[in-house]
């Protein structure tokens, strides 16, 4: 016997979601983003499942890339946040890690490195996110310097990152694409017209909602894990299947009277005679402490609302209206029947954060 709190990871759902991306963008290389421990799903586990399907992986930093190599992953790995010091260039070249160049300092590190084989580089353009990326007016100079260097492969990918592709009706994605196109055209003027500049725009929201953003490379994260990043679902996002089911079980049941409170600081008080079930999961297991009373959980296919504060190891739920509830019953905190986005909304956050906060303490179990 063991504590029933587990994150089940569905191999079938993961492959299905990647297949959805392939069908939506059949002419692109769809790179799988597995940073932050594959959004809480287990980076090596996820990458091992996807390795035969994907052309490359994306992570935030070289430590995450090395973790993939230590786990036996051989496909190229793009460092989405670039490098943090000059010595990382050699490590990247030797391990087939691709370097995102976000600024002139990173470009200098690549240009001045003493390496025996060239490294593949992506050059990020700041088209409006104003977080990372080279400003359009500096792109030609940096791209051409990188292209002329023996340290860099010829096929430098020009890329940018969307700020608002998830928002319904926002014109910002079109604005960013227009700035990108203009930047690319100016660069093309400096190159031989026959020279192809490989490009990458789409993240998950771009892939799902902005077909014009599907270029040579897409970089998809959240949608792979089966949840929609979109403010408003569309036909494409409805095809996704959540990969993680977070589950636990009831370890205690009691009846309390109207007027009695539950949990730390008595934040929830019963308005009727109420059956309270205690479930073996808390914020120490990745369930958000900020989840408010009323946040749905699922028992035997029925919704039971959270009642009172989330503790480190436990939550309490109101099961008065659940039929045949008993000790040991399985409780689903999120999964295919209860989207993590819904739970995240009740916790004043987004599904991305809820998933990536999954701690080591919660064992993950690979299922078919
Ligand atoms: C540069 C870059 N590309 C792609 C992604 C993947 O985004 P998403 O998980 O929304 O698909 C991220 C994630 O934040 C990113 O930083």
């Amino acid at each position: 016997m063991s504590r029933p709190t587990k994150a089940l990871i569905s191999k079938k759902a993961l492959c299905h979601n990647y297949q959805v991306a392939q069908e939506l963008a059949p002419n692109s290389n769809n790179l799988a983003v597995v940073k932050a421990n594959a959004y809480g799903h287990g980076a090596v586990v996820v990458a091992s499942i996807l390795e035969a399907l994907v052309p490359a992986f994306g992570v935030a930093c070289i430590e995450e890339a090395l973790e993939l190599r230590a786990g036996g992953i051989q496909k190229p790995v793009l460092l989405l946040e670039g490098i943090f010091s000059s010595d990382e260039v050699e490590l990247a070249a030797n391990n087939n890690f691709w370097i995102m160049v976000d600024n002139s300092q990173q470009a200098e590190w690549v240009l001045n490195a003493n390496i025996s084989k060239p490294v593949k580089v992506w050059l990020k353009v700041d088209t409006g996110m104003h977080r990372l990326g080279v400003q359009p007016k500096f792109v030609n100079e940096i791209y051409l310097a990188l292209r002329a260097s023996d340290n860099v492969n010829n096929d430098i990918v020009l890329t940018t990152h969307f700020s608002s592709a998830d928002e319904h009706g926002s014109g910002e994605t079109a604005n960013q694409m227009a700035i990108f196109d203009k930047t690319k055209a100016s660069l093309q003027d400096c190159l031989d017209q026959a020279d192809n500049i490989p490009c990458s725009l789409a993240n998950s929201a771009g892939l799902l909602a902005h077909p014009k953003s599907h270029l040579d490379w897409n970089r998809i994260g959240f949608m792979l894990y089966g949840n929609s990043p979109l403010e408003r679902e569309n036909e494409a996002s409805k095809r996704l299947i959540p990969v993680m089911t977070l589950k636990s079980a009831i370890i205690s049941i009691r009846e309390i009277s109207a007027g009695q409170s539950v949990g730390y600081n008595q934040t929830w008080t019963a308005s009727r005679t109420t059956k309270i079930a205690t479930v073996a999961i808390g914020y120490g297991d990745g369930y958000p402490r900020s989840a408010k009373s009323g946040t749905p959980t699922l028992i035997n296919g029925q919704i039971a609302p959270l009642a009172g504060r989330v503790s480190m190891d436990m939550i309490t739920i109101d099961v008065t209206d659940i039929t045949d509830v008993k000790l040991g019953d399985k409780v689903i905190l999120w999964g295919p029947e209860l989207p993590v986005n819904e739970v995240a909304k009740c916790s004043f956050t987004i599904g991305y954060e809820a998933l990536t906060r999954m701690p080591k303490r919660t064992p993950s179990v690979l299922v078919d």
Side-chain angles (χ1 to χ4, degrees), residues 249-254 276-281 314-317 327:
I250 295 176
I251 54 168
S252 177
I253 299 177
R254 73 204 57 232
I276 292 290
T278 304
V279 183
I281 190 162
M314 283 166 274
I315 57 171
T316 35
I317 57 180
L327 280 182

Side-chain angles (χ1 to χ4, degrees), residues 39 47 69 74 119 141 149 154 157 229 254 262 272 283 356:
Y39 295 50
R69 286 286 178 269
Q74 289 173 4
V119 70
E141 184 190 338
S149 167
N154 251 348
V157 178
R254 73 204 57 232
V262 179
R272 57 177 175 165
Y283 60 81
T356 52

Side-chain angles (χ1 to χ4, degrees), residues 33 35 39 80 124 131 161 203-204 219-222 352:
V33 179
K35 62 188 174 135
Y39 295 50
L80 291 163
K124 188 184 274 182
R131 185 180 66 172
H161 193 53
N203 53 1
S204 294
R219 313 172 312 273
I220 50 168
F222 195 57
Y352 285 74

Side-chain angles (χ1 to χ4, degrees), residues 283-299:
Y283 60 81
D285 307 294
Y287 191 80
R289 182 180 182 274
S290 51
K292 63 182 182 192
S293 290
T295 301
T297 69
L298 209 55
I299 305 176

